[in-house]
Amino acid sequence: MTIEIKEKGSEAFYREVVSVTTQYQRLIKKPDLKYRDLFKSYRSMGLCMAVLFGMQLWLGALDGFNALRITALTVVAVVVFVVFLYDRMMR
C-alpha cells in the first residue's frame, strides 16, 4: 500500500498522519480502537517529569542530597530531555 500526498495539507492533517503511522501496529491488531494524540501525550509526560524533577530538586534542597536522590534527579532529567527531544523531532 502506498500513500501519496500531492498537495500541502494542514497542520492537523500532518499531526494525524504522524500519530497514525507511529501507532500502526496497534491499529492493525484492533482497528476499532481510537488512536492517541502523541503530541499531546509527549507534552504532558514531559511536563509531569519536569514537575517531578523540580520536586526532587526542592526536596533535595530541604532534606539533603543523598545518592538515591541524585540518581532520581539524573534519571528524571534524562527522561525529560528525551521526551522533549522526541516531541521536537516528531514536529
Side-chain angles (χ1 to χ4, degrees), residues 4 6 10 12-13 20 27 34 38-39 41-42 54 59 61 63 68 71 73 76 82 90:
E4 293 183 20
K6 296 185 178 184
S10 65
F13 170 74
V20 168
L27 293 171
K34 183 178 177 186
L38 292 180
F39 293 96
S41 297
Y42 286 132
L59 289 173
D63 195 30
L68 183 61
T71 303
L73 278 169
V76 172
V82 168
M90 282 187 3

Side-chain angles (χ1 to χ4, degrees), residues 24-36:
Y24 73 93
Q25 288 180 342
R26 192 178 127 207
L27 293 171
I28 286 175
K29 289 179 185 175
K30 297 182 181 177
D32 296 335
L33 288 178
K34 183 178 177 186
Y35 68 91
R36 292 176 275 172

Side-chain angles (χ1 to χ4, degrees), residues 1-90:
M1 181 168 130
T2 303
I3 299 173
E4 293 183 20
I5 302 171
K6 296 185 178 184
E7 65 271 349
K8 185 172 170 82
S10 65
E11 182 179 347
F13 170 74
Y14 289 114
R15 281 176 171 258
E16 188 171 341
V17 167
V18 168
S19 291
V20 168
T21 55
T22 54
Q23 299 175 50
Y24 73 93
Q25 288 180 342
R26 192 178 127 207
L27 293 171
I28 286 175
K29 289 179 185 175
K30 297 182 181 177
D32 296 335
L33 288 178
K34 183 178 177 186
Y35 68 91
R36 292 176 275 172
D37 183 10
L38 292 180
F39 293 96
K40 185 177 170 184
S41 297
Y42 286 132
R43 195 175 314 120
S44 63
M45 183 172 38
L47 289 175
C48 287
M49 287 294 165
V51 167
L52 184 62
F53 179 81
M55 286 174 53
Q56 288 292 328
L57 198 61
W58 180 64
L59 289 173
L62 290 177
D63 195 30
F65 290 97
N66 55 12
L68 183 61
R69 187 154 332 254
I70 291 172
T71 303
L73 278 169
T74 305
V75 168
V76 172
V78 169
V79 170
V80 167
F81 177 73
V82 168
V83 166
F84 281 126
L85 182 67
Y86 193 67
D87 182 50
R88 292 296 163 213
M89 285 178 14
M90 282 187 3

